[in-house]
Amino acid sequence: MITAALAKGRLADQTIEILEACGVDCAVLTEKTRKLVLTEPSGALRFIFVKPADVPVYVENGIADVGVCGSDTILEEDRKIYELLDLGLGKCRLCIAGYPDSEKKRGGAALRVATKYENITREYYHNKGENVEIIKLNGSVELGPVMGLSDVILDIVESGGTLRENGLTVLHEICPVSARLVVNKVSLKTKSDEIKPLAEKIKRVIENTK
Ligand code: PRP
């Protein structure tokens, strides 16, 4: 049996569609339930539903053999896990955003950056040699500059709608983001005869839907 960690929400729904196309019976996953552990009828796959940022945690610790999460989460969490496939889902960009003049010098004070991604932000500005104040938020990050909590934000931009509707704009693009199939390093060896055929099927489905 393979245990798979899925991030609750849209990404899980898209992953379930891919699995169905692979021939996995996902009926149990689409039922309305508050259960967090669900097993498909053949017993070959068990699913756990976790917060997106926790997918790499479960996979690194071997509680889940595989998982699906965004490359933004993988970068931020920096866990010892193996990236097996780019699923091409959940495509967006990690960006610095704010008002067009948000980065102008403010009397030598450090730039204030609101973000859910503290580690990526620290690394990004460290590499630029800039001293910044990082303000950790858990959502609605765009409110930072709008309400004056921060000068800029580091966040994902998908359609750009949230920025636009709040009068903000992309100032710098950091990297593209997409969902990845990640694997526990030990499971990849001990369960390779279960994981590899499933990964192959997923790869074929993705290629056929391109
Ligand atoms: C994400 C992200 C942006 C928004 C970007 O937030 O943090 O706020 O989506 O998408 P867009 O470019 O298509 O507008 P999410 O919807 O996950 O909610 P959150 O603010 O609660 O994290």
Side-chain angles (χ1 to χ4, degrees), residues 10 116-117 138-142 155-163:
R10 197 163 27 154
K116 286 181 264 187
Y117 303 93
N138 296 297
S140 302
V141 180
E142 291 81 359
D155 200 11
I156 50 164
V157 178
E158 194 176 348
S159 65
T162 312
L163 289 182

Side-chain angles (χ1 to χ4, degrees), residues 1-3 28 37 42 65 79 105 107-108 121 154 156 169 177 195 207-208:
M1 176 189 273
I2 304 173
T3 301
V28 71
V37 185
S42 80
D65 302 298
R79 300 275 169 177
K105 290 280 171 239
T121 305
L154 183 152
I156 50 164
T169 185
V177 169
I195 293 171
E207 279 167 359
N208 289 337

Side-chain angles (χ1 to χ4, degrees), residues 2-89:
I2 304 173
T3 301
L6 297 186
K8 287 179 194 170
R10 197 163 27 154
L11 197 52
D13 297 342
Q14 290 175 314
T15 306
I16 289 166
E17 276 177 30
I18 290 184
L19 288 171
E20 274 175 339
C22 290
V24 177
D25 181 351
C26 293
V28 71
L29 302 181
T30 51
E31 283 165 15
K32 206 169 155 47
T33 172
R34 299 282 296 172
K35 277 192 186 155
L36 297 170
V37 185
L38 292 163
T39 306
E40 53 87 37
S42 80
L45 260 174
R46 179 170 67 160
F47 298 91
I48 56 173
F49 290 89
V50 305
K51 285 272 185 190
D54 294 337
V55 169
V57 181
Y58 280 94
V59 174
E60 182 184 53
N61 287 290
I63 305 302
D65 302 298
V66 299
V68 174
C69 61
S71 51
D72 53 335
T73 306
I74 298 172
L75 264 181
E76 176 66 15
E77 290 295 317
D78 194 23
R79 300 275 169 177
K80 292 180 188 69
I81 52 178
Y82 188 73
E83 256 183 71
L84 205 55
L85 268 183
D86 183 344
L87 300 175
L89 305 173

Side-chain angles (χ1 to χ4, degrees), residues 5 50 62 102 132:
V50 305
S102 284
V132 295

Side-chain angles (χ1 to χ4, degrees), residues 171-192:
L171 301 174
H172 309 285
E173 274 192 39
I174 299 176
C175 62
V177 169
S178 60
R180 308 292 159 94
L181 178 68
V182 294
V183 187
N184 173 270
K185 291 190 166 180
V186 174
S187 301
L188 190 58
K189 291 186 187 134
T190 56
K191 295 187 178 179
S192 80

